[in-house]
Each structure stands twice: as C-alpha cells, then as structure tokens.
Amino acid sequence: MPRRTTFTLLAMVLAVLLPALPAAAQTGDFDDVSGVHAEAIAAISDAGITEGCTADRYCPQELVRRDQMASFLARALGLDTSGTTSFADVPAGNPHSGAIAAIHAEGITTGCEDGRYCPSAPVQRQEMASFLARAFDLQATDTTWFHDIGGTHGDAAQRLGAAGVSGGCDDLGLQYCPTEDVRRDQMASFIGRALELVPGTEIALLLEPGDSGPTVTALQKYLTANDYWVGPVDGVYGNLTEQAVLAAQKVHGLARDGIYGPLTRGALAAPRTPATRSTWGYVVEFDEDRQIVMLVEDGVPGMIFHASGGDESYYTHEGTEYWAETPNGDWHIYREINDWRTSHLGELYRPKYFHTDGIAFHGYDVVPAQAASHGCVRVSIEAMDWIWANDAMPIGTDVLVYGDPN
C-alpha cells in the first residue's frame, strides 16, 4: 500500500481515537505555544510525534536539526528505529541514530554528502520539501507553484504546494524561500498538513473580478509595491485592481484579460521593469504600444497606470469627420480644467492638456484593454483624482508619447 494511503488511514484513526480538546487546550500542554502553528503543534503532540523540548515547553522558535527531523519523521511514519545507521558522522550514542537509520532505509534521506548525514545542521526549507515529498509519497504536479526554487529539491517543493502542505513564504504563495532554515513550529505545520491532522493550505492560482479576502489584499499590496496604481488596498478585486492587473499584463506582454491567472502569477513572480524613453528629469510617458502611462524620474519608471489612447480610426462629431490619434512627440502640460469638459473628443474628466488639438490625459468611466479613445489618453476616474491630489501632472510637465496603438 502506498505510504500516502497509509498516512491518510492513520490520520482517520487518530481523529477517532484522540479526544477532542477544547480550543484553549489545543497547544499540546506546552506553555510557550500560541499563534498560527498552535493547532499543528497540538496535533503532532497528541499523535506522539513530538514530546516538546522539555516537559512543558515546545521551543517553537528553535531551528530543527537534521537528526531531530529524522525522529519526527520516524514517529510520524511508525518506523522501526532499532537499526544502526551507516553514516560516519552519526555515533551510536546519538539519541536519533535509530531514526536516522530508519528513514535512510526507507529512502527518505541519502545524507548530506560523502557518506555523512550532518546531524547537527539545521534543516533548510528545500531539504524539508524533499524529506516530506519522499516520506508521504506526494504526487507529482505540472503546475509551477513556487518560482524561486529548482534543482535537486525543486520538484519536491512543487509537490508540497500541490498537496497543500506548504503555502510558500509570502502572502501570494509565489516564493518558497528554499534556503531559509525551518523552525520547530513551522515543522509542526508541515507534518501536520502532510498527515492531514490539520487543514492544508491553499495557494491562489486564479483571482478575478468579484473575489475578495486576504489573498486579494496581498495581490493589491504586491502590485502597489511594484508601482502599479491599484487605488485603495481594500481586499476587493474591483475595477481598479483589474486595471492594475491589466497594466502588469501589458508590461509583461501577456494577454489582456485583467485576471490574475497562472501566466500573470508567473510573470509577477519575477516582475519586469518597463522600459522608458526619457533619460532625465520628470516626464509623463504614454507608451502607445503597451497603452500605459508612466511617471518617470530620470529614466526610472515610478507609478504605472492602465490607459487607453486614440484608436486611429475615423469618427464623426456634429457632421465633421475626425481622425482619432494620440500624436507621438515631445509635449508638455499647458492647460488643465478641474471639472468635466465636453468637446469633439468626448467627455473629459479633469483633463490635463498636452497638445493643441485638445488632446489631454483625463479620467473616464470606461478604460478598455486596447486603444479606444478619440485621441486623448484615458485613465480611470479614480486614477485622475489621484493624479490631481498628488500634483503628478502640474502645468509645465514634460510629456513623451511614442509607439503605435496596440
């Protein structure tokens, strides 16, 4: 019977045999346990996987050594620990030597190097991934859950993500932090989830308009940290979050759907700094290829806005035909109106004019993924309010427009 099936059955038996504890007591009777890992520590204590570091303490912040890890796993798996290890650096007097021999015999470890086990070395998160993937026969996955790990332990880490054993080290589950050392409280959650003694963790591979909650908050914070204007961080995947995702998709050359799916998630794991054309001074750039507005300082992009410029088509207003174009070139903000303005170009909210044909940056209710205006550069109503409130486009600001509508 595969080990994973055996452990699922073990978890079911433990759930029946172990008495339900009141919430306040679910800390394994340890005086130093609280927080997010408390439930897992109580669960592995009740299952006999740990006895703590003393009779009444668990020492949750201490690092897990490799010899200790062997004992945790041997107890979790119910392995025979009466054998003798062949690792040269594990003396018979080491209290974990039998467990080390047991997990070696099961193929859970091959040691550290040259016939050695490195018993006193701390367990890194990448090593933890391989220990657990082998121990619990975690299934392979084609999905890239974590984007900062490859090599020897990379496949094992992806298996942990797929099984809900690890949610990564950041709020969005993009990173695994492979070389960080594992603490005892974290180890309890790893093993508790692998044994299904506590609920697994989920990683967001898809977020879309209408979603809400802490993962959306994490996405909003991440986008903001990477200079995409997202408006208030409120945990709601609304129009502004959708537009920030659209801006990120434009910068990374992805399909523009405003949905945080696997491709967008993968691109944002290693965010790209968009190229700029200006090299000095403060310049507002509108890139028509990508349909984004960037506030650029000495060639370095700052805030990035989803935008929509002229779609280069003919349109008619009051019997006169016009060509919808956002003219390329070097311009500057020369006029502004702190109100709605109606012209042959349409309804303009708080326009900042940069071309004498009446072309302006302005707010609008609808800002599609592609070029769609009569020549002006649309941003959201809320983005335009932010621009005014932060004096981001004062009179005299240099404006650079380049590229072709896309």
Side-chain angles (χ1 to χ4, degrees), residues 297-369:
E297 185 77 51
D298 293 332
V300 179
M303 199 67 77
I304 305 166
F305 299 87
H306 166 65
S308 178
D311 63 5
E312 296 195 348
S313 66
Y314 287 102
Y315 69 98
T316 301
H317 176 77
E318 296 182 350
T320 301
E321 189 175 66
Y322 298 90
W323 176 246
E325 178 184 32
T326 308
N328 280 203
D330 295 297
W331 318 108
H332 68 275
I333 304 292
Y334 68 92
R335 183 188 180 206
E336 61 186 18
I337 298 176
N338 189 14
D339 203 345
W340 283 94
R341 169 72 189 281
T342 300
S343 74
H344 70 278
L345 293 163
E347 298 289 327
L348 317 182
Y349 177 69
R350 306 183 83 179
K352 298 270 192 175
Y353 293 94
F354 62 86
H355 190 275
T356 53
D357 286 344
I359 307 298
F361 296 104
H362 69 86
Y364 199 67
D365 294 318
V366 179
V367 188

Side-chain angles (χ1 to χ4, degrees), residues 168-365:
C169 59
D170 67 324
D171 291 335
L172 279 176
L174 295 171
Q175 312 296 327
Y176 185 74
C177 300
T179 60
E180 285 188 2
D181 296 330
V182 179
R183 302 193 312 265
R184 286 171 57 88
D185 56 355
Q186 296 169 328
M187 179 279 304
S189 287
F190 277 124
I191 291 183
R193 294 172 191 149
L195 272 175
E196 300 178 8
L197 299 177
V198 294
T201 185
E202 295 184 2
I203 302 172
L205 289 180
L206 180 70
L207 294 171
E208 57 189 342
D211 290 341
S212 62
T215 309
V216 175
T217 299
L219 173 61
Q220 292 172 330
K221 289 180 178 179
Y222 191 80
L223 288 166
T224 300
N226 284 282
D227 297 324
Y228 296 102
W229 191 81
V230 76
V233 175
D234 57 6
V236 177
Y237 202 126
N239 180 53
L240 300 186
T241 301
E242 180 182 7
Q243 291 197 20
V245 171
L246 278 168
Q249 290 171 336
K250 292 174 176 181
V251 167
H252 291 86
L254 302 175
R256 304 171 184 180
D257 59 10
I259 295 173
Y260 178 80
L263 293 179
T264 301
R265 181 180 184 275
L268 286 176
R272 177 186 302 169
T273 300
T276 63
R277 293 286 183 90
S278 61
T279 58
W280 63 274
Y282 180 69
V283 181
V284 177
E285 295 192 15
F286 176 51
D287 182 340
E288 287 202 83
D289 291 325
R290 294 176 293 186
Q291 295 288 297
I292 57 173
V293 170
M294 296 181 288
L295 308 183
V296 182
E297 185 77 51
D298 293 332
V300 179
M303 199 67 77
I304 305 166
F305 299 87
H306 166 65
S308 178
D311 63 5
E312 296 195 348
S313 66
Y314 287 102
Y315 69 98
T316 301
H317 176 77
E318 296 182 350
T320 301
E321 189 175 66
Y322 298 90
W323 176 246
E325 178 184 32
T326 308
N328 280 203
D330 295 297
W331 318 108
H332 68 275
I333 304 292
Y334 68 92
R335 183 188 180 206
E336 61 186 18
I337 298 176
N338 189 14
D339 203 345
W340 283 94
R341 169 72 189 281
T342 300
S343 74
H344 70 278
L345 293 163
E347 298 289 327
L348 317 182
Y349 177 69
R350 306 183 83 179
K352 298 270 192 175
Y353 293 94
F354 62 86
H355 190 275
T356 53
D357 286 344
I359 307 298
F361 296 104
H362 69 86
Y364 199 67
D365 294 318

